[in-house]
């Protein structure tokens, strides 16, 4: 089993649509949360989600993602997942 910590930021694209940027893997949950906060404060991103996911990269068997933080303007699908 391996756990990956990821920061997914979002930018505003053409016609105001919120679009995902390339996700970035970091070394810990705390680094993921901090990177999400910094992205909103300093890089002009409109939203950011920090999450972790555990599983077996060899077999492709993954647990559900655990959201560590979600801030700013995010696509509706993200809010639906957080509520659901």
């Amino acid at each position: 089993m391996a756990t990956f910590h990821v920061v997914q930021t979002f930018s505003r694209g053409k016609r105001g649509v919120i679009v995902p940027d390339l996700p970035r893997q970091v070394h810990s949950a705390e680094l993921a949360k901090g990177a999400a906060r910094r992205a909103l404060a300093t890089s002009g991103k409109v939203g950011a989600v920090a999450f972790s996911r555990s599983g077996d990269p060899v077999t492709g068997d993954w647990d559900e993602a655990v959201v560590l933080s979600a801030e700013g303007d995010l696509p509706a699908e993200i809010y639906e997942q957080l509520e659901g």
Side-chain angles (χ1 to χ4, degrees):
M1 279 293 254
T3 299
F4 294 92
H5 306 286
V6 179
V7 178
Q8 175 68 66
T9 58
F10 297 86
S11 298
R12 194 154 316 271
K14 294 180 182 179
R15 300 183 208 159
V17 175
I18 298 172
V19 295
D21 301 310
L22 290 175
R24 183 168 54 110
Q25 184 178 336
V26 296
H27 294 290
S28 73
E30 289 305 313
L31 285 173
K33 290 188 282 189
R37 282 191 302 273
R38 281 189 305 282
L40 289 177
T42 63
S43 69
K45 303 299 180 188
V46 298
V49 176
F51 66 93
S52 62
R53 195 157 186 209
S54 297
D56 186 340
V58 174
T59 64
D61 185 28
W62 294 95
D63 294 339
E64 291 292 319
V66 175
V67 175
L68 306 168
S69 70
E71 303 180 44
D73 292 334
L74 301 169
E77 303 85 45
I78 300 292
Y79 288 115
E80 291 169 8
Q81 289 176 353
L82 292 174
E83 293 172 359

